[in-house]
């Protein structure tokens, strides 16, 4: 591989091919050869990563008249990254949809909830603290969510399902973790509809000659000249026709080196890299699980974190992460170890692997990381929902655009059918998924649970005792059982009453059956820490100074500042963090490259 060039002799045409890769390298080369002719730089800005944050940053840059190279190691089929696979949930404050549902929300209440969830405790007032910029980003993001976020997206054609979801209901105290009110706005069209307006903007910029795609270009190094990041160097991978989400070849057929005065890293997190997850797993969450399923495609590998660190960037809060506790093994996987999350309503009985019921706040939909710790403390990597067909039909939703064809395809009639029938994807998992046990009696259910795991940990008499105790609490509209209190609370919210909460009933009510047990696996998902950035998206070094020419956005930057979520997410904030940080980095980089 050639050394970085310091003269005008260095051009984009100096992509090198290795033996045996000449034809494939030549096929890839036009994707990094813009029509806008030669110079000492190949573009004004290089964006590394074609996910949502990268698309947003590129769109902002192109609209500002900048020339951009958008590089990604995956084929074009994966443009939009893991955002495409998402449920499309967005955190909005005091929105038109909330007001329609009778929800009273304010910026002050949202900021109170955010601080209670985040638990920032690593030097928020110290310029060198890990949470210094994270706190600033968090406050700016809540302002965005309560301000122009909805109108900005609405102007680009984004719309939302009118019923607002109530995610992460928290730990029980007003100033603690959790959403005080429903804030989870499901995009009409799910994840693809969030990606769509920015992909359209970028493709229009390609047609204008302002953006050039460089698919199958894996960045292995950030080039520095005189202390400033001045470009990227890496490998051209062989062409791939792999479908979206499928693993693509890592066969190298060439090399490239490209120059620009600004590089923006938008490469995502570590969710598919179990080794890195375990390496960074914090003791406060118990022992790292031996067995996990994967909520993101294999390309979410975390490579660019170490590469950017070697170029001078500072990684903060690497021990903060967000993994789900309600994972199902996908019976029809797209990527290796593919898991799907249940987004539960409040009624299923949640048991650990030994059959003991969890206590508050470890209830369905309340506190993800507290429940994760409760599970790992048992010494097992799974837990159970014991539920009824009535609860499953009304309260089970599945994460992922592909698991919600009614919402993804904007099919109004099919979406409305959720009111009177169980969505087909859920029934398919019940029938085909390896984690489901369906039975007509409790004894049959216990036999199936023990057969499924091979551990024989569930005792029939003890499970019956716990269910009977819970069921006696249903006889009155008031109760001492915190979970049953939560059911009554949910039924007072019109959105939950219509679409997300079954009427209060006894688990052993024969009319609500059959009985269903669902084994829940730990599902990897999000990186909450990452590259520390200022409010312009500039990557900071260990001394807190910006690394010249280097920006970051999206999950690789902890969605802004190296971790704007702190320790916990309020949900609907991951796509929003990519949108907000991608926009900020794109606009700042456009200003920095103005002539």
């Amino acid at each position: 591989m050639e050394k970085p060039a310091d003269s005008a002799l260095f051009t984009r045409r100096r992509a090198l091919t290795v033996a045996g890769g000449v034809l494939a390298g030549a096929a890839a080369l036009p994707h990094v050869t813009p029509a806008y002719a030669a110079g000492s730089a190949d573009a004004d800005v290089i964006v590394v990563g074609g996910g949502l944050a990268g698309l947003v940053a590129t769109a902002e840059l192109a609209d500002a008249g900048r020339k951009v190279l958008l590089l990604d190691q995956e084929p074009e089929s994966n443009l939009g990254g893991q955002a495409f696979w998402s449920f499309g949930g967005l955190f909005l404050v005091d929105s038109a949809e909330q007001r329609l549902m009778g929800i009273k929300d304010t910026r002050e209440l949202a900021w109170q909830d955010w601080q209670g969830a985040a638990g920032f405790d690593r030097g928020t007032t110290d310029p060198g603290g890990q949470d210094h910029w994270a706190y600033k980003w968090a406050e700016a993001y809540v302002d965005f969510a309560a301000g122009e976020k909805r109108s900005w997206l609405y102007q680009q054609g984004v719309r939302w399902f009118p019923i607002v979801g109530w995610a992460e209901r928290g730990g029980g105290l007003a100033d603690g973790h959790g959403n005080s009110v429903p804030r989870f706005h499901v995009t009409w069209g799910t994840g693809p509809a969030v990606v769509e307006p920015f992909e359209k903007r970028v493709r229009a910029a390609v047609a204008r000659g302002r953006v050039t795609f460089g698919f199958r270009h894996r960045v292995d190094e950030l080039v520095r000249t005189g202390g400033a990041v001045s470009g990227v160097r890496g490998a051209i991978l062989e062409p791939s026709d792999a479908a979206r989400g499928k693993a693509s070849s890592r066969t190298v057929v060439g090399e490239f080196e490209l120059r620009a005065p600004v590089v923006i890293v938008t490469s995502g997190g570590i969710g598919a890299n179990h080794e890195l997850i375990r390496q960074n797993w914090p003791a406060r969450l118990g022992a790292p699980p031996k067995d996990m399923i994967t909520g993101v495609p294999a390309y979410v590998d975390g490579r660019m974190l170490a590469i950017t660190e070697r170029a001078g960037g500072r990684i903060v809060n690497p021990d903060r992460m967000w993994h789900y506790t309600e994972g199902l093994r996908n019976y029809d996987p797209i990527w290796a170890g593919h898991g799907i999350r249940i987004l539960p309503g409040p009624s299923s009985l949640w048991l650990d692997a030994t059959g003991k019921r969890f206590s508050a706040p470890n209830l369905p939909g309340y506190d993800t990381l507290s429940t994760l710790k409760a599970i790992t403390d048992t010494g097992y990597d799974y837990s159970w929902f014991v539920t009824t067909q009535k609860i499953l039909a009304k309260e089970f939703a599945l994460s992922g655009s592909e698991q919600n064809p009614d919402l993804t395809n904007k099919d109004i009639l099919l979406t409305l059918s959720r009111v009177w029938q169980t969505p087909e994807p859920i029934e398919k998992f019940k029938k085909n998924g390896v984690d489901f046990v369906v039975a007509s009696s409790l004894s049959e259910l216990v036999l199936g649970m023990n057969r499924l795991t091979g551990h024989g940990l569930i005792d029939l008499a003890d499970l019956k005792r716990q269910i009977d105790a819970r069921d006696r609490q249903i006889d009155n509209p008031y109760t001492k059982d915190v979970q049953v209190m939560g059911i009554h609370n949910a039924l007072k919210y019109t959105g939950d009453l219509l679409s997300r909460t079954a009427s209060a009933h006894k688990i052993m009510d024969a009319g609500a059956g059959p009985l269903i047990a669902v084994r829940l696996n730990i599902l990897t998902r999000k990186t909450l820490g990452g590259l520390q950035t200022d409010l312009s998206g500039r990557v900071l070094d260990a001394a807190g100074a910006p690394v010249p020419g280097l920006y970051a956005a999206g999950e690789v930057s902890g969605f802004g500042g190296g971790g704007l979520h702190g320790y916990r997410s309020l949900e609907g904030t991951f796509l929003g963090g990519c949108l907000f940080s991608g926009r900020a980095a794109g606009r700042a980089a456009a200003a920095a490259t103005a002539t």
Side-chain angles (χ1 to χ4, degrees):
M1 185 180 294
E2 295 189 1
K3 300 289 185 182
D6 295 321
S7 72
L9 292 176
F10 184 91
T11 73
R12 64 195 64 80
R13 296 180 176 84
R14 293 179 66 187
L16 306 177
T17 55
V18 295
V22 175
L23 291 177
L29 187 57
H31 291 291
V32 291
T33 308
Y36 46 82
S40 61
D42 297 287
D44 296 314
V45 179
I46 296 171
V47 177
V48 182
L52 181 59
L55 285 174
V56 174
T58 300
E60 293 292 328
L61 284 159
D63 286 353
R66 304 299 174 266
K67 297 171 182 177
V68 187
L69 288 174
L70 178 55
L71 308 182
D72 199 290
Q73 67 181 355
E74 296 305 308
E76 188 169 0
S77 58
N78 283 283
L79 192 64
Q82 57 182 303
F84 177 91
W85 298 105
S86 75
F87 196 36
L90 292 172
F91 176 93
L92 297 172
V93 178
D94 191 27
S95 69
E97 289 75 21
Q98 285 178 302
R99 293 192 292 273
L100 178 67
M101 299 304 298
I103 300 164
K104 297 179 181 179
D105 198 9
T106 65
R107 184 266 180 202
E108 291 72 26
L109 182 60
W111 181 229
Q112 173 182 297
D113 287 348
W114 195 287
Q115 292 179 88
F120 293 119
D121 61 1
R122 296 176 176 174
T124 58
T125 60
D126 174 8
Q130 294 188 72
D131 279 339
H132 180 71
W133 287 102
Y135 183 93
K136 291 178 181 293
W137 269 93
E139 189 167 21
Y141 179 71
V142 172
D143 288 343
F144 177 60
E148 65 174 313
K149 180 180 180 181
R150 185 185 183 280
S151 61
W152 178 63
L153 291 170
Y154 192 92
Q155 289 166 7
Q156 298 181 76
V158 181
R159 300 292 185 268
W160 297 273
F161 188 61
I163 296 177
V164 183
W166 196 354
E168 283 295 298
R169 304 185 189 205
L173 295 177
D175 60 352
H177 171 54
N179 286 293
S180 297
V181 297
R183 298 191 177 105
F184 190 82
H185 295 66
V186 177
T187 301
W188 186 234
T190 66
V194 179
V195 172
E196 182 181 14
F198 302 99
E199 181 177 347
K200 282 183 175 179
R201 288 170 62 186
V202 170
R203 290 195 182 278
V206 171
R208 298 195 308 269
R210 294 203 178 279
V211 173
T212 300
F213 289 132
F215 298 111
R216 305 298 286 156
H217 282 67
R218 186 187 70 199
V219 172
D220 298 325
E221 181 182 355
L222 298 177
V223 178
R224 300 186 75 180
T225 303
V229 171
S230 56
V232 297
R233 182 184 294 133
I236 300 174
L237 306 179
E238 68 177 351
S240 171
D241 60 0
R244 183 184 290 274
K246 294 288 187 180
S248 61
S249 165
R250 291 294 180 261
T251 299
V252 174
V253 297
E255 297 177 341
F256 69 90
E257 191 167 317
L258 297 161
R259 298 181 64 129
V262 168
V263 174
I264 305 178
V265 178
T266 59
S267 55
I270 67 173
N273 190 330
H274 290 199
E275 180 181 352
L276 267 182
I277 289 170
R278 292 190 179 97
Q279 179 181 319
N280 290 289
W281 191 273
R284 66 179 177 275
L285 293 180
K290 296 182 179 65
D291 182 44
M292 298 183 285
I293 56 178
T294 308
V296 293
Y299 57 72
V300 188
D301 53 19
R303 290 182 67 256
M304 285 303 300
L305 280 161
I307 290 168
T308 310
E309 187 177 36
R310 287 197 292 271
R314 181 191 186 194
I315 296 173
V316 295
N317 302 312
D319 61 318
R320 293 180 183 169
M321 52 187 72
W322 190 256
H323 306 302
Y324 290 113
T325 50
E326 312 99 331
L328 302 175
R329 298 175 192 275
N330 195 341
Y331 66 89
D332 186 20
I334 296 171
W335 52 82
H338 188 179
I340 296 294
R341 183 202 174 197
I342 297 172
L343 287 72
S347 303
S348 296
L349 200 68
W350 205 338
L351 310 172
D352 69 19
T354 70
K356 299 294 185 293
R357 186 183 178 191
F358 288 122
S359 59
N362 306 318
L363 306 172
Y366 277 72
D367 191 329
T368 294
L369 292 193
S370 175
T371 309
L372 178 57
K373 173 64 160 57
I375 292 169
T376 58
D377 280 350
T378 68
Y380 295 91
D381 297 337
Y382 66 92
S383 60
W384 292 99
F385 275 170
V386 170
T387 191
T388 66
Q389 178 67 33
K390 183 176 180 178
I391 293 171
L392 179 139
K394 190 70 173 287
E395 299 192 6
F396 277 35
L398 301 175
S399 64
S401 54
E402 81 284 10
Q403 299 299 329
N404 295 275
D406 50 351
L407 293 165
T408 300
N409 297 325
K410 303 181 181 180
D411 188 324
I412 295 174
L413 290 178
L414 189 58
T415 300
L416 290 175
S417 74
R418 292 186 181 220
V419 174
W420 63 82
Q421 66 180 11
T422 309
E424 183 180 9
I426 293 171
E427 281 295 330
K428 284 184 175 180
F429 261 93
K430 189 180 79 172
K431 178 181 178 181
N432 303 312
V434 297
D435 296 306
F436 283 77
V437 179
V438 182
S440 57
S441 69
L442 189 61
S443 60
E444 182 186 351
L445 190 77
V446 169
L447 283 173
M449 293 166 73
N450 286 331
R451 186 183 305 116
L452 179 61
T453 65
H455 293 151
L457 298 174
I458 308 300
D459 179 77
L460 173 60
D462 191 51
L463 179 56
K464 184 177 185 303
R465 177 190 62 78
Q466 294 178 87
I467 292 175
D468 286 346
R470 180 265 187 201
D471 282 357
R472 292 187 189 104
Q473 301 295 309
I474 301 297
D475 289 332
N476 294 289
Y478 44 85
T479 176
K480 74 173 184 179
D481 189 291
V482 173
Q483 184 176 7
V484 179
M485 288 182 195
I487 295 169
H488 291 314
N489 192 37
L491 290 170
K492 291 178 181 178
Y493 166 50
T494 304
D496 277 350
L497 177 65
L498 290 174
S499 67
R500 294 290 287 136
T501 305
S503 60
H505 64 278
K506 297 181 178 183
I507 298 292
M508 297 306 297
D509 179 355
L515 293 169
I516 300 167
V518 187
R519 179 178 57 185
L520 305 173
N521 308 278
I522 294 171
L523 176 70
T524 67
R525 189 61 67 86
K526 296 296 179 186
T527 310
L528 298 188
L531 298 167
Q532 191 172 42
T533 58
D534 65 13
L535 289 176
S536 295
R538 297 183 299 177
V539 176
L540 307 178
D541 64 18
V547 179
L550 183 58
Y551 293 69
E555 191 173 351
V556 75
S557 66
F559 303 93
L564 63 75
H565 294 94
Y567 287 93
R568 289 180 173 88
S569 166
L570 290 175
E571 291 286 21
T573 55
F574 300 125
L575 294 178
C578 290
L579 293 168
F580 186 53
S581 61
R583 189 179 81 154
R587 291 181 177 182
T593 52
T595 56

